[in-house]
Amino acid sequence: MNRRQFMIAGGALLCAGLTEAAWKYVPDSGLKHPCVAAFPASLREHETWKVLWQDIRPDQVWDAHVHLVGVGDASNETWFNPAMDEWLHPQLKLQKSFYINATCADPAQIDVTSVSRMDALAQALPPGMKLMLFAFDWHRDAQGQVLKQHSIFHISNQYAAAIAQRQPDRYEWVASIHPFRPDAVDALEHAHAHGAKAIKWLPSGMGIDPASAKCDAFYKKAASLGIPIISHTGQESAVPGGDQAYGNPLRMRRALDHGVKVILAHCASDGMDQDLDHAGRSIRSFDLFTRLMDTPDYQTLLYGDISATTLINHAWVLPELIKRQHWHPRLVHGSDYPLPGIMPLTNLNTLIANGWLSETHKPFLITLKNHHPLLYDFALKRLLNINGQSFLPVVFETRHIFERT
């Protein structure tokens, strides 16, 4: 081979390498959700559909992490920060546009049409499968007073309960109560009496320090009622603002030590936190989650919610979660809807290139992604296979965690 031939061959190999590397990060199905209405019968007849439900009882599958979306255009029980409509805040405006597209809502009637879309998705679920719909409390100060200017969105408990009650065979609801509220304990009792299956917190977005003594009365009541707290852990990207340190998994020890059942959302799979057991050291949030999961005293109280773990900034954690099969009875399936409907946030090409997903599943998953983001998220997690291991069926049969005894 002469020098010119060598350079041409080398250039071709370099281009091929760059093309292969780039392919891993090219959006697998575009940037915008197509919002296809009908759920094709061909998906239910597909061989892969049978694989999804092998050894899984649909009536035991409760998607434990589903956000409602509303802006207040049809209800005073929903609200979005007006900054999300201003180009002075381009990140917020872009986020809102992705959220609205992911829910296939009509921008002129977001409240009504986002719920209509969710109703249609719920009706396409296998009989018995349910969605747990989240309320979302305001950002509040140390006295529990509302700080609207620091809140990104709000979904009242009344609203979440009302939507859930429209289709009780498809929905459950999850209350959101800031523990610093003067009426926090009363609100917790009221939510529990009206069917709330859990409490949702996003500590940074709501201004909650879970390690504060101000939470103790709330924790005592939650433990006595047996109602779990689903709390975000790790870095928060979807709802900006607040103190990111509040998402440190170790800050939920106070709840656990009060006997509260705690579900750490996303398994702290993104970001770094201070190691509160070793001053001055910052480590991966997931390593702190691991420490808690392996603490003997918390074996019957602590769970990890695997929502968002297939997103591009979280997916690195999948081999660890799948490998630790002894954790699987304490891992909880959740979709974090509407995020699975934001097309670029998951990338099948990368998962395939990593050897974590068979390329034969890609056409089925792309079709499902275009039609039903909730089932797409479920299917993707079911089909992952890393070093010959997958998430066990118990990860998806979540109903027993939330049923009252």
Side-chain angles (χ1 to χ4, degrees), residues 217-233:
F218 192 87
Y219 289 152
K220 183 178 179 180
K221 178 57 65 173
S224 70
L225 295 174
I227 191 168
I229 296 176
I230 303 171
S231 187
H232 176 96
T233 48

Side-chain angles (χ1 to χ4, degrees), residues 49-62:
W49 182 265
K50 300 174 185 177
V51 173
L52 299 183
W53 298 103
Q54 186 174 351
D55 300 323
I56 295 269
R57 297 168 293 173
D59 66 334
Q60 300 303 306
V61 179
W62 287 11

Side-chain angles (χ1 to χ4, degrees), residues 73-301:
D73 59 11
S75 170
N76 59 8
E77 302 293 338
T78 65
W79 178 86
F80 253 71
N81 194 311
M84 300 194 84
D85 289 321
E86 300 172 358
W87 281 116
L88 289 174
H89 306 278
Q91 179 184 347
L92 293 178
K93 187 172 177 64
L94 184 62
Q95 281 183 315
K96 182 181 177 183
S97 68
F98 272 117
Y99 296 150
I100 300 309
N101 173 242
T103 61
C104 298
D106 179 348
Q109 299 179 337
I110 290 172
D111 285 16
V112 171
T113 56
S114 65
V115 171
S116 296
R117 169 66 170 179
M118 183 172 288
D119 286 345
L121 295 176
Q123 285 302 316
L125 297 172
M129 183 176 175
K130 287 189 174 185
L131 308 177
M132 297 182 68
L133 308 181
F134 282 2
F136 200 89
D137 204 351
W138 300 99
H139 189 113
R140 295 173 182 266
D141 64 16
Q143 287 70 47
Q145 300 304 307
V146 172
L147 296 177
K148 264 194 172 185
Q149 69 273 25
H150 295 300
S151 301
I152 297 298
F153 69 97
H154 174 251
I155 302 290
S156 77
N157 291 329
Q158 292 85 350
Y159 186 81
I163 299 300
Q165 288 161 8
R166 289 166 27 142
Q167 293 197 69
D169 60 328
R170 296 294 185 177
Y171 297 141
E172 299 290 345
W173 76 282
V174 174
S176 186
I177 302 167
H178 196 300
F180 298 174
R181 284 169 52 171
D183 66 341
V185 171
D186 290 341
L188 177 56
E189 290 182 323
H190 183 272
H192 181 266
H194 287 79
K197 291 296 192 285
I199 303 299
K200 164 62 178 175
W201 285 357
L202 199 165
S204 62
M206 295 177 181
I208 300 170
D209 179 3
S212 171
K214 293 181 180 180
C215 299
D216 287 351
F218 192 87
Y219 289 152
K220 183 178 179 180
K221 178 57 65 173
S224 70
L225 295 174
I227 191 168
I229 296 176
I230 303 171
S231 187
H232 176 96
T233 48
Q235 181 174 315
E236 170 54 35
S237 302
V239 180
D243 191 338
Q244 290 281 346
Y246 289 167
N248 186 323
L250 299 186
R251 303 192 82 80
M252 290 302 296
R253 276 180 174 156
R254 194 174 194 102
L256 293 161
D257 292 340
H258 275 80
V260 180
K261 186 185 291 186
V262 171
I263 300 168
L264 301 181
H266 323 306
C267 300
S269 51
D270 191 25
M272 306 283 287
D273 272 307
Q274 289 297 310
D275 184 346
L276 302 180
D277 297 333
H278 302 88
R281 186 172 75 155
S282 179
I283 63 174
R284 295 185 309 183
S285 305
F286 179 74
D287 293 332
L288 303 178
F289 168 81
T290 297
R291 187 181 303 167
L292 290 181
M293 287 290 283
D294 290 341
T295 300
D297 288 349
Y298 301 151
Q299 299 293 303
T300 61
L301 291 174

